[in-house]
Amino acid sequence: MSLYGTMRTGVSGMNAQANRLSTVADNIANANTTGYKKASTQFSSLILPTTGGAYNSGGVTTDVRYSISAQGTFTYTTSATDLAINGSGFFIVQGSDGIEYLTRAGAFTVMDDGSLRNTAGYKLMGYEYSSTADPTIVINGYDGLSEINLKSAAPSATPSTSGQLDVTLPSNEPHPYSKATSLVAYDSLGNTRKLDFTYSTTGTAGAWSLAVTYTDPDTGTVSTLATQALTFDSTGNLTSPASGTITTSSLTFGVGAGAPVLSGLDISIGGSKQLNQDFAADGDINGSGPSEVSGYEISADGIVSLKYDNGDLIPKFRIAMANVQSPDNLTPLAGNVYSQSNDSGVIVMGYAGNSGYGSILSGALEDSNVDIAEELTSMIESQRNYTANSKVFQTGSELMEVLVNLVR
């Protein structure tokens, strides 16, 4: 047995315990860091060959592992842009270097430039929303991503395109009889336009005429937007128009390219009836006037929508997500982000809620998965083991001193 080997083994043990203490210190320091994944030190023995019947002491080596795939608990907040992933996957964020990274730290805040950045300064990435089709995903790369930017959230107006008006017409009123009701529509600039719907008898049982008009409040000019003959069967149900829909003509208010336009509206009247009771009406037209953004809403499948004062919810972006075959082998970097490594597997892109990806929780943050009690226990064990290894080294040193003194 070599005394040098004994001392070397003691040093190896101290170094191993120092590595363990380093991971414990990191874990305790980040116990309250959003999305932090704990590190742990794994030990393996180093065996040297025994020769001539003499034992040749080896030592211990360490390997640091990260519990990236272990999900933490959730803390719920009042901010819609605080995000957590319930299940597998990572947010894709971009650093100031223009490079994309993966993270579970979802404490995002809307900045002055409209970007969504987490506490480490990384920008959230995704795709512009389309109501007709999902954007094409580059499965193994970040091409096609853009930053989710809400700076363009200016006041919004939605022009009217369709509506519904169901009335009950009194069957026993003597001819001539006329009754009007009104609905408000919105033109291309968000101005309100009151449309009058006037129902008149024709002198024939079950037959009425409907006129849709607009009266200019300034000049009193009346514009007729639609006329329609209505017929009802003996049970009071509408039989004409067979489609149950009338379409109004467009109307331009003023002259020039910037003049507001009320586009032609498709008004459903199929639920109208003729019965022996008083006139009644129920209906609505879509669209809205100018409205300021009052907040944001992020759905479980990652669709980012702007919420307006008038209650409208306009989708703008869809958050992209990514995953790898072996998340625990990703390379951790400063700022609680990860990059692909040779052992993690390739980046696979997708959406929240799709196969292999968790759902997004808005108004929630994923806590660190560090267990303080477990870390304190590890710290005490490492301290005790470090002391024991130092005793081995000290003993070997003392014996070495005895051996040196023998030759004096």
Side-chain angles (χ1 to χ4, degrees):
M1 173 181 172
S2 167
L3 290 178
Y4 285 113
T6 301
M7 296 169 66
R8 184 183 62 245
T9 301
V11 170
S12 171
M14 286 190 289
N15 285 335
Q17 295 303 324
N19 286 341
R20 186 185 187 190
L21 278 170
S22 295
T23 58
V24 169
D26 227 8
N27 291 340
I28 292 176
N30 287 280
N32 296 112
T33 300
T34 299
Y36 175 80
K37 304 301 181 181
K38 72 175 183 178
S40 60
T41 305
Q42 306 296 318
F43 298 86
S44 59
S45 60
L46 177 61
I47 304 297
L48 298 181
T50 298
T51 58
Y55 183 77
N56 194 8
S57 62
V60 61
T61 61
T62 59
D63 178 51
V64 177
R65 298 181 182 177
Y66 297 91
S67 302
I68 299 174
S69 60
Q71 181 170 289
T73 57
F74 299 116
T75 296
Y76 293 91
T77 72
T78 57
S79 173
T81 56
D82 281 341
L83 305 176
I85 300 173
N86 186 15
S88 301
F90 298 85
F91 297 114
I92 302 168
V93 293
Q94 187 181 78
S96 57
D97 54 6
I99 298 176
E100 284 77 19
Y101 301 94
L102 307 182
T103 188
R104 299 275 293 194
F108 295 104
T109 303
V110 182
M111 309 304 289
D112 289 342
D113 62 358
S115 62
L116 280 172
R117 297 176 186 256
N118 64 13
T119 51
Y122 290 90
K123 295 187 293 187
L124 182 63
M125 305 296 287
Y127 301 96
E128 290 190 7
Y129 178 81
S130 171
S131 60
T132 57
D134 288 337
T136 301
I137 296 178
V138 179
I139 297 176
N140 61 344
Y142 300 118
D143 291 346
L145 288 174
S146 61
E147 81 171 48
I148 294 179
N149 193 293
L150 304 178
K151 188 175 182 179
S152 59
S156 172
T158 305
S160 298
T161 58
S162 62
Q164 167 262 329
L165 179 60
D166 294 326
V167 299
T168 301
L169 299 175
S171 61
N172 293 336
E173 289 289 343
H175 177 71
Y177 171 83
S178 181
K179 188 70 174 180
T181 189
S182 302
L183 290 176
V184 171
Y186 297 90
D187 65 22
S188 56
L189 297 183
N191 298 304
T192 58
R193 305 294 177 177
K194 185 170 74 73
L195 305 184
D196 297 317
F197 295 76
T198 304
Y199 298 83
S200 302
T201 57
T202 63
T204 302
W208 295 71
S209 64
L210 168 62
V212 184
T213 58
Y214 172 76
T215 302
D216 189 305
D218 297 324
T219 64
T221 303
V222 178
S223 301
T224 301
L225 305 183
T227 58
Q228 177 67 52
L230 308 179
T231 58
F232 298 86
D233 62 20
S234 59
T235 61
N237 293 317
L238 184 72
T239 57
S240 178
S243 64
T245 302
I246 61 172
T247 301
T248 66
S249 58
S250 298
L251 187 61
T252 301
F253 305 92
V255 295
V261 176
L262 179 64
S263 300
L265 308 176
D266 293 325
I267 308 294
S268 172
I269 60 171
S272 298
K273 292 180 176 295
Q274 178 188 248
L275 296 171
N276 182 21
Q277 65 179 60
D278 294 337
F279 179 89
D282 177 59
D284 195 13
I285 292 179
N286 66 2
S288 63
S291 179
E292 297 282 348
V293 174
S294 60
Y296 311 97
E297 186 170 300
I298 301 175
S299 64
D301 56 358
I303 296 176
V304 181
S305 301
L306 304 183
K307 187 185 299 182
Y308 290 87
D309 290 331
N310 60 8
D312 285 349
L313 205 59
I314 309 298
K316 290 293 185 181
F317 296 94
R318 188 163 190 182
I319 298 172
M321 291 182 66
N323 210 347
V324 292
Q325 288 83 355
S326 180
D328 290 342
N329 286 318
L330 287 166
T331 301
L333 300 171
N336 211 5
V337 296
Y338 308 97
S339 65
Q340 180 183 340
S341 71
N342 291 332
D343 297 325
S344 67
V346 298
I347 300 291
V348 180
M349 304 285 290
Y351 293 123
N354 287 4
S355 177
Y357 300 91
S359 59
I360 291 179
L361 301 179
S362 175
L365 295 173
E366 183 178 357
D367 299 327
S368 165
N369 62 0
V370 171
D371 185 332
I372 288 291
E374 181 180 331
E375 299 303 320
L376 292 175
T377 301
S378 296
M379 182 173 63
I380 294 170
E381 290 177 351
S382 296
Q383 180 184 16
R384 186 176 301 160
N385 293 341
Y386 189 97
T387 301
N389 278 283
S390 70
K391 290 294 183 182
V392 172
F393 180 87
Q394 184 178 11
T395 300
S397 176
E398 291 172 353
L399 291 176
M400 181 64 70
E401 185 178 354
V402 171
L403 182 60
V404 170
N405 288 335
L406 288 176
V407 299
R408 292 179 180 175

